[in-house]
Amino acid sequence: MFKKIFRPGCRLFAVGSILMLLTAAAHTAGQFAPMPDDAALKSVMAVMQGYRLDMGMGMKPSIDDISNSLAFTMSILLVFLSVQNLVTLYWAGDSARLVRGLTAINLLCAVTLTALYWHYRIPPPLICFGLISIVFTLSLVLPNKREA
C-alpha cells in the first residue's frame, strides 16, 4: 500500500494529504482545549451558550452549538478529504473501483456530518447532508450498468 500511495510523482500529494490529517487532529484537539481564564471570554461564552435560535423542526441550537458544529465540520471535512486523496492515489488506474471507493468515503462523510448536525440540532445542514447520504447510498446499492 505504501508504494502505491508514495510512488514517484505522487509523493508531495501524499505528504500534503497526511498533513491535512494532522491539521484535522490539531484542530480537533484545539476544540477540546481548556478555555483561558479570561472574564470577558467567559462572559461571551455564557451569552453564546444562553442565546438560542429557533430554527424549526423543534430545534433551538445555541450560538455556541452552531459555532461548535461548524468547527467540527472543518475537522471532519479535512479528515475525509485526506482519506479520499489517499484512496485516489491507491486505486488510480482502476476507475470502477476508484469510483466505488470515493463514493463510500463520501457516504461516510455525509452520514457523519448528518449525525453531527442532528446532535447540535441545526436543520439546514442536517437536511442537506441527510439527502446527500441517501444519494450516495443509492449510488452504492443500485447496479452500475457498466459492471452488469
Side-chain angles (χ1 to χ4, degrees):
M1 180 167 97
F2 186 82
K3 287 181 182 180
K4 281 187 171 185
I5 292 173
F6 286 96
R7 65 186 176 274
C10 298
R11 291 181 183 136
L12 289 175
F13 183 71
V15 169
S17 297
I18 291 168
L19 288 174
M20 283 194 296
L21 278 173
L22 295 173
T23 301
H27 186 267
T28 303
Q31 278 296 105
F32 292 107
M35 222 174 32
D37 190 21
D38 178 347
L41 180 57
K42 287 181 181 179
S43 175
V44 168
M45 291 305 297
V47 171
M48 286 178 64
Q49 291 165 350
Y51 189 81
R52 298 193 166 274
L53 295 173
D54 187 349
M55 300 188 86
M57 296 176 53
M59 298 181 182
K60 293 184 178 182
S62 71
I63 298 299
D64 189 47
D65 289 337
I66 294 169
S67 176
N68 284 332
S69 71
L70 292 172
F72 285 118
T73 295
M74 178 179 169
S75 295
I76 290 167
L77 290 176
L78 283 173
V79 167
F80 282 94
L81 179 59
S82 300
V83 172
Q84 180 173 309
N85 290 343
L86 296 172
V87 168
T88 299
L89 288 174
Y90 185 81
W91 291 114
D94 184 345
S95 63
R97 293 174 93 180
L98 174 66
V99 171
R100 288 191 64 76
L102 289 175
T103 302
I105 290 166
N106 282 282
L107 173 60
L108 185 55
C109 180
V111 168
T112 303
L113 288 168
T114 302
L116 175 73
Y117 289 114
W118 176 261
H119 174 77
Y120 282 107
R121 325 259 322 135
I122 304 172
L126 170 67
I127 293 166
C128 292
F129 285 110
L131 181 60
I132 291 167
S133 297
I134 291 168
V135 172
F136 281 134
T137 299
L138 290 173
S139 176
L140 286 175
V141 299
L142 294 178
N144 183 343
K145 291 180 182 173
R146 294 176 76 187
E147 293 176 359

